[in-house]
Amino acid sequence: MIRPLLILVAAFLFHAVCIAQPEFKVLAFYSTKVEQDHQDFSKDVRAFYTKLADDRNFTFDVTKDWTNLNDTLLKNYQVVMWINDFPHTEQQRRSFEKYMDNGGGWIGFHVSGYNDKTTGWPWFVDFMGGAVFYTNNWPPQPARLIVDDTTHAITKGIPPALASPTNEWYQWKPSPRANKNVKVLLTLDPMNYPLGIKDIITGGDTPVVWTNTRYRMIYMNMGHGDAVMSDALQNKMIANSLLWIGKGKPVTINAVKK
Ligand code: ZN
């Protein structure tokens, strides 16, 4: 009589352990020593993902201490997120390179992808698909975006074009689209041009969301100000992006490179 009971208890415990296990773990880095608009976005997106983590069974840890970007700690996480800043020391850069080259996941917003001729980090430019910051609109404005691929996991359920809330938009030169390894997922609709008053994006190709397919990564240009997280459709895409990276299989081709 005891055996069936034991089996029942064991099955119950096994089930309890399974549902308690998060599907993946995210470590999100942000900074409070950045411009106010970037802090505002940080606050909103952290609240958004904290709620999503509860609903979708993943772990969302946040830190503003960038020394946590080290080999030892990153081993515990399947996704690293940069919300409104990027590494500032060589050690942090090397740890991130190693993490990504070995199949880690990354999602970066807005200024976290910023680089110019003073950055001095060629690995990161390559990681971004060759994209180097070229210009931006000012003041921040809403814009119409075109979805390049409506069948992709991150744009599922999103119409072919959407109205994106107020943001500061970056244009890149060269455009990441020129890189054969890059898949562009959303682009600024040319009908927005000229975009800006003080600083104007006058024309050209402006991808705003893309992935370098050699890595498990996605970059999203949204991330300036307190309006970014105000649109349900765009939020769906922002949720999809993290779930896609978090549940994605590690890319291993980079591990054997070098
Ligand atoms: Zn900005």
Side-chain angles (χ1 to χ4, degrees), residues 233-250:
L233 271 182
Q234 179 164 284
N235 288 359
K236 185 179 165 68
M237 193 183 64
I238 288 171
N240 287 348
S241 296
L242 181 54
L243 296 172
W244 179 61
I245 294 291
K247 294 178 180 187
K249 291 200 169 42

Side-chain angles (χ1 to χ4, degrees), residues 83-253:
I83 292 174
N84 63 1
D85 205 356
F86 39 77
H88 291 279
T89 72
E90 285 302 313
Q91 175 271 311
Q92 291 162 16
R93 287 178 173 188
R94 295 298 91 77
S95 288
F96 181 67
E97 292 170 12
K98 197 194 282 183
Y99 177 76
M100 292 309 302
D101 282 343
N102 287 287
W106 179 79
I107 171 164
F109 292 95
H110 195 54
V111 74
S112 71
Y114 180 91
N115 71 86
D116 62 23
K117 59 181 185 303
T118 67
T119 304
W121 191 10
W123 181 93
F124 186 66
V125 177
D126 179 65
F127 174 72
M128 287 291 288
V132 175
F133 173 82
Y134 174 63
T135 191
N136 60 277
N137 68 301
W138 198 263
Q141 287 162 288
R144 187 179 140 97
L145 306 181
I146 292 172
V147 179
D148 288 75
D149 180 356
T150 52
T151 65
H152 193 273
I154 82 140
T155 52
K156 217 175 275 174
I158 310 291
L162 74 152
S164 181
T166 297
N167 189 49
E168 177 197 23
W169 303 98
Y170 293 172
Q171 192 178 59
W172 312 80
K173 219 171 224 182
S175 164
R177 200 189 307 274
N179 184 324
K180 65 176 178 13
N181 295 313
V182 166
K183 182 169 178 57
V184 174
L185 295 165
L186 282 100
T187 305
L188 204 64
D189 189 333
M191 74 175 279
N192 295 294
Y193 302 140
L195 184 65
I197 298 167
K198 181 176 167 283
D199 298 322
I200 303 170
I201 303 177
T202 53
D205 180 28
T206 313
V208 294
V209 178
W210 69 86
T211 178
N212 177 348
T213 58
R214 289 182 56 236
Y215 295 93
R216 197 154 62 89
M217 67 82 89
I218 191 157
Y219 172 73
M220 312 185 84
N221 190 229
M222 300 80 177
H224 186 107
D226 60 8
V228 174
M229 300 306 298
S230 66
D231 182 80
L233 271 182
Q234 179 164 284
N235 288 359
K236 185 179 165 68
M237 193 183 64
I238 288 171
N240 287 348
S241 296
L242 181 54
L243 296 172
W244 179 61
I245 294 291
K247 294 178 180 187
K249 291 200 169 42
V251 176
T252 51
I253 56 159

